[in-house]
Amino acid sequence: MATTQKGSLNDQAFDILRSDIISCHLKPGATITEVWLTKHYALGKAAIRHALARLTQQGLTVNQGRLGYIVAPITIKSIRESYQIRRLVEPELCRLAAGKLDAGTLAMLRTCSEATYDSQKASEIITFSHANHRFHCLIAKAAGNERLARLIQELSDDHLRISYVSMVYNQSDKRWSDDHAKIVDALYANNGEEAAQLMAEHLLLGEEATMRAILNLPELLETSLS
């Protein structure tokens, strides 16, 4: 019972901090400490420490030793590099996944594709971000290459925050949903080339939307836009 309760508190701390990092309530580049987080969130020090270890492993925080932690900054360079990797890898994963979707995976992909959000409601944006995250990870898993699937999982974790910023600045949920639905249809029809092309276009448009959003909120960047 004690172990279960401890695990629950650790998960709770992780989920709360992760959500606030994704939504930029904990701003990129901000310094945070175990002491401050414990007081601010009224959570135990052990749970906060466990959460920070997991967040650091996911690349959302950076351990600075005695100085505490830094919320991983968002930079134009990091956005460009992340999207570059995804554009190289994810279209190929679509080719590999075409025709391999079982009924369960297909149903989950369609559910993710139907997700919507109100750009004025942070909780809905976060929920949608997770659906988007799951969509890309499901395709990677269906492709059958475990190493590439882990890579997309790691990249998608960071993209939860990046996509949140994009959606706050009115990136259309309809466009995201339409793109996803078309990719699923192509995969189901065993048309890997079409799915790959749709994914490449989807990621390119996503990058453009993200950069427009960042230009509207330069204080989130580690370096000045000038």
Side-chain angles (χ1 to χ4, degrees), residues 51-61 154:
L52 285 169
R54 289 178 64 185
L55 291 166
T56 299
Q57 186 177 26
Q58 291 191 2
L60 292 175
T61 56
E154 293 170 3

Side-chain angles (χ1 to χ4, degrees), residues 70-91:
I70 292 177
V71 178
I74 295 176
T75 67
I76 290 177
K77 184 174 183 290
S78 67
I79 293 171
R80 293 293 194 199
E81 288 180 347
S82 185
Y83 269 107
Q84 183 181 43
I85 295 171
R86 294 185 68 180
R87 288 200 309 272
L88 287 170
V89 175
E90 292 199 56

Side-chain angles (χ1 to χ4, degrees), residues 18-19 36 38 40 45 58-60 76 91 108 110 118 121-122 135-136 188 207-208 221:
R18 185 169 181 254
S19 177
W36 183 85
T38 300
H40 184 75
K45 189 173 182 180
Q58 291 191 2
L60 292 175
I76 290 177
M108 287 188 287
R110 292 205 184 282
D118 181 336
K121 296 180 179 179
F135 179 86
H136 289 272
Y188 180 67
E207 181 178 3
E208 292 173 351
L221 292 172

Side-chain angles (χ1 to χ4, degrees), residues 109-212:
L109 283 171
R110 292 205 184 282
T111 297
C112 292
S113 300
E114 294 166 0
T116 60
Y117 66 90
D118 181 336
S119 63
Q120 302 302 312
K121 296 180 179 179
S123 61
E124 290 189 11
I125 294 177
I126 290 174
T127 298
F128 182 89
S129 295
H130 283 289
N132 178 62
H133 168 88
R134 185 164 177 74
F135 179 86
H136 289 272
C137 290
L138 283 168
I139 292 175
K141 184 176 180 180
N145 187 313
E146 293 184 4
R147 290 188 178 185
L148 287 178
R150 286 198 297 270
L151 173 62
I152 296 305
Q153 173 78 33
E154 293 170 3
L155 289 172
S156 292
D157 282 342
D158 190 47
H159 262 71
L160 282 169
R161 183 169 55 153
I162 294 172
S163 62
Y164 178 91
V165 173
S166 177
M167 285 182 278
V168 166
Y169 282 89
N170 298 316
Q171 170 68 2
S172 170
D173 62 337
K174 185 178 187 303
R175 204 275 294 167
W176 286 64
S177 298
D178 287 350
D179 283 2
H180 285 177
K182 290 175 182 177
I183 292 169
V184 174
D185 287 342
L187 290 172
Y188 180 67
N190 196 17
N191 193 335
E193 287 304 318
E194 181 181 358
Q197 181 62 35
L198 289 168
M199 179 62 80
E201 293 172 357
H202 172 64
L203 292 172
L204 180 61
L205 291 173
E207 181 178 3
E208 292 173 351
T210 300
M211 294 309 298
R212 286 195 301 271

